[in-house]
Amino acid sequence: MSLGRRYRHLGRYREIIQTFFGHGFGYLVDQAGLWEFISLRQRLFGRDPEVGARLSRGDRARKALEKLGPTFIKLGQVLSTRSDLLPRDILVELQKLQDRVPPFQFKQVTEMVQAELGRPVLDIFAEFCPEPLAAASIGQVHLARLRDGQQVVVKVMRPDLERIVETDLEIMADLAGVLERRTNWGQYYRISEVVAEFAESLRDEMNYTVEAANADRFRRMFSGDERVYIPSVHWDLTTPKVLTMELVEGFKVNDLEGIRRAGLNPSVIARRLADAIFRQVLVEGFFHADPHPGNLFIDERGTIIFMDFGMVGELSGEMRQRFISFVLGVVNRDSDEVVEAILRMGEPLGKVNLMSLKRDVYRLQKRYGEIPLREVDFGKALLEIIALAFDHRIVVPSDYSFLAKSLITLESVVVELDPSLSMIDLAEPYTRRLLQEQFSFTNLRRTLRRTIHDGARLATCVPKQVSNILSLVEDGELRLKIENADGDHFIRRISALFNRLSMSIISGCLVVGTALILHRSDGSRLWGIPIAEYSFLLTGVLGVWLVLAILRSGRF
């Protein structure tokens, strides 16, 4: 943040620094060199009188974030899944953060709805309940009835929220930059990237059209599946600050009394819920990242109803395969497989000490080896792996943290409904399906085409790179020191070099030609086999012949 911006937000900047100082985090203020924001009185008397001296650092962190309001509450909720950044005692407390705040006035609600939808509330709705159904830091929810009689829920954003959040995000970005410049741990944990990722997520959550689009995507995902229901969006009554959705009646998914009163089997409900989540994660790669009982309901028929689509996670096909590799490593008690999965799941920040990583994974694996497989909590295991990876400077995408949180929440609900169920057993059909897809002919063919494309690109780049190197040598910008102790040996090596180069160029041309044939093939067949496949076979034969010819020459 520029000096001008810092002083424009001076009051809020001072409030944030003083709050953390008053809650026992003065060492952060000291390390960041921000003492100018601490008053003399606070320096003398230290801790905020509202904060008990015996509270743990986790308690103090949670209370500080709650005191600072919506942006920091959301930050704490996101950080509560980041076992790679924070110690367990703080994570446990951050998971208790309550996103419940006093509701704002009904007059402000009607003003926001009218400003966003362009008409007075009672011109749009036949009824609009003044009392909110729920109130959170981003907005609050009201029951309403449309002119055609349909019951809906209307989510309305808090007035002036964007200005408050953007100010806090600017200050967070500035503080992150200060900590990165002035502390080793700030640089190590790449705090600026964490804040930037959080800012992007929070801006999406403050745009109700993003949430509405997420709901529509889930609705399409479960179209035709009577076991799961997603409320429909009224797009004509939805804007970035107002979201109108169908009202669906039901009771909380963990309401055992309500489930039994409706004549439903809790075990069946648990299986349906697990099936829905695993389908989202392992098949679609788009999942509800906060499936707690407040967002999951059951109707009288036993249908699972998902609510609140502001927080979602997304895994590409490769990310899903990497997660399955991790699961298989844990299931097979194979430390090497887990290590390989970690390296594929994350991004190393530097050179990784593989021996040290394998040793730590083995210790973790040994601990899980003492637990029956049916009782392994893969959500917690994944969080521990993410933390372990970061200890070895391997950054794992945050979507895996969302996945871990989703699995932990799912398991807690499933166990509450039916303690005899195993997450391993429930996930098995989906993991088996993913493994079959991984080794299917279609996937192998796709991998082969990608390899051919990469090889063709490499083959076309090599001659140009060699030419550039020779030009540098010719211009005297690159000097080569050659000691010719054995002239014949030197000639043989030069000959081998050019043979390899020739092979690369010819093979590259063949590969490019084959790739073009595969791309432009009209599907013509000869004896039931695509003509493009003959071209590929011919390319392979010529490539093998070329290698054998060079080998016979003795110049390879």
Side-chain angles (χ1 to χ4, degrees), residues 20 25 27-28 57-58 61-62 65 72 74-95 97 185 188-189 191 194 383-384 386-388 390-391 401:
F20 280 108
F25 295 98
Y27 61 91
L28 293 179
R57 61 179 179 176
R62 174 173 55 80
L65 295 173
F72 287 85
K74 288 294 181 184
L75 176 64
Q77 290 174 337
V78 170
L79 290 177
S80 69
T81 67
R82 299 298 300 269
S83 58
D84 54 331
L85 298 178
L86 297 173
R88 180 167 177 76
D89 61 314
I90 294 181
L91 291 175
V92 169
E93 287 301 319
L94 293 187
Q95 288 165 6
L97 274 170
W185 62 266
Y188 179 86
Y189 287 107
I191 301 298
V194 175
L383 279 182
E384 289 184 309
I386 291 171
L388 188 150
F390 205 84
D391 288 342
S401 295

Side-chain angles (χ1 to χ4, degrees), residues 83-84 188-189 338-339 341-349 352 357 360-361 364 381-397:
S83 58
D84 54 331
Y188 179 86
Y189 287 107
V338 174
V339 168
I342 292 172
L343 294 173
R344 293 179 63 219
M345 287 166 67
E347 175 195 351
L349 298 179
V352 177
L357 176 60
D360 289 345
V361 168
L364 185 64
L382 181 58
L383 279 182
E384 289 184 309
I385 285 294
I386 291 171
L388 188 150
F390 205 84
D391 288 342
H392 290 269
R393 296 191 51 82
I394 301 171
V395 179
V396 176

Side-chain angles (χ1 to χ4, degrees), residues 294-335:
N295 290 334
L296 295 169
F297 289 80
I298 308 292
D299 69 10
E300 295 293 330
R301 299 172 303 168
T303 303
I304 308 290
I305 303 166
F306 283 85
M307 305 279 194
D308 195 344
F309 306 96
M311 187 178 292
V312 298
E314 192 156 9
L315 300 176
S316 66
E318 288 186 4
M319 292 175 76
R320 296 199 298 277
Q321 295 291 353
R322 290 165 188 169
F323 173 66
I324 291 299
S325 297
F326 159 72
V327 172
L328 289 175
V330 175
V331 169
N332 297 329
R333 320 288 189 188
D334 187 337
S335 298

Side-chain angles (χ1 to χ4, degrees), residues 37-311:
F37 294 99
I38 306 300
S39 65
L40 178 61
R41 179 182 176 279
Q42 197 169 18
R43 292 189 196 193
L44 292 174
F45 295 101
R47 186 168 292 175
D48 190 320
E50 295 181 5
V51 181
R54 295 183 179 179
L55 290 180
S56 68
R57 61 179 179 176
D59 280 314
R60 289 185 278 111
R62 174 173 55 80
K63 288 182 178 296
L65 295 173
E66 286 176 337
K67 186 173 182 179
L68 289 171
T71 316
F72 287 85
I73 289 173
K74 288 294 181 184
L75 176 64
Q77 290 174 337
V78 170
L79 290 177
S80 69
T81 67
R82 299 298 300 269
S83 58
D84 54 331
L85 298 178
L86 297 173
R88 180 167 177 76
D89 61 314
I90 294 181
L91 291 175
V92 169
E93 287 301 319
L94 293 187
Q95 288 165 6
K96 299 177 184 177
L97 274 170
Q98 298 298 312
D99 192 13
R100 291 195 294 268
V101 294
F104 53 95
Q105 296 178 354
F106 184 62
K107 182 176 182 292
Q108 294 174 300
V109 172
T110 57
E111 288 173 352
M112 178 69 79
V113 172
Q114 181 170 341
E116 288 295 302
L117 302 182
R119 289 180 288 163
V121 170
L122 293 181
D123 285 356
I124 304 169
F125 302 95
E127 295 178 11
F128 199 102
C129 182
E131 295 298 320
L133 188 64
S137 56
I138 299 294
Q140 62 191 41
V141 180
H142 290 260
L143 294 175
R145 184 168 59 85
L146 300 178
R147 289 288 174 184
D148 62 4
Q150 185 177 356
Q151 297 286 334
V152 295
V153 290
V154 183
K155 187 182 288 189
V156 184
M157 190 173 294
R158 287 185 173 273
D160 208 27
L161 180 71
E162 284 183 310
R163 181 188 62 79
I164 296 169
V165 169
E166 288 301 330
T167 296
D168 284 348
L169 291 177
E170 283 187 8
I171 292 172
M172 283 183 186
D174 186 55
L175 289 174
V178 169
L179 290 171
E180 281 192 350
R181 290 192 300 272
R182 299 182 181 179
T183 67
N184 291 330
W185 62 266
Q187 191 173 40
Y188 179 86
Y189 287 107
R190 302 200 296 188
I191 301 298
S192 291
E193 291 185 18
V194 175
V195 170
E197 190 176 272
F198 165 70
E200 182 180 358
S201 172
L202 183 55
R203 288 185 180 112
D204 280 347
E205 196 170 347
M206 289 195 305
N207 184 344
Y208 286 154
T209 58
V210 173
E211 182 175 344
N214 291 340
D216 270 2
R217 185 169 173 181
F218 280 111
R219 190 173 172 83
R220 290 191 300 271
M221 186 188 302
F222 291 102
S223 176
D225 188 343
E226 296 182 354
R227 300 170 302 169
V228 178
Y229 190 80
I230 310 295
S232 60
V233 177
H234 290 268
W235 280 100
D236 57 326
L237 301 177
T238 295
T239 72
K241 296 182 180 180
V242 174
L243 171 61
T244 306
M245 297 187 72
E246 169 191 8
L247 173 65
V248 183
E249 300 286 354
F251 42 88
K252 287 187 177 181
V253 71
N254 63 342
D255 182 358
L256 286 170
E257 184 179 339
I259 291 172
R260 293 192 178 104
R261 191 168 53 245
L264 301 172
N265 186 334
S267 181
V268 172
I269 299 300
R271 290 176 182 276
R272 286 183 180 179
L273 174 60
D275 187 70
I277 296 293
F278 285 132
R279 177 177 171 183
Q280 293 171 30
V281 172
L282 299 176
V283 177
E284 306 292 342
F286 183 74
F287 60 94
H288 198 299
D290 197 20
H292 62 76
N295 290 334
L296 295 169
F297 289 80
I298 308 292
D299 69 10
E300 295 293 330
R301 299 172 303 168
T303 303
I304 308 290
I305 303 166
F306 283 85
M307 305 279 194
D308 195 344
F309 306 96
M311 187 178 292

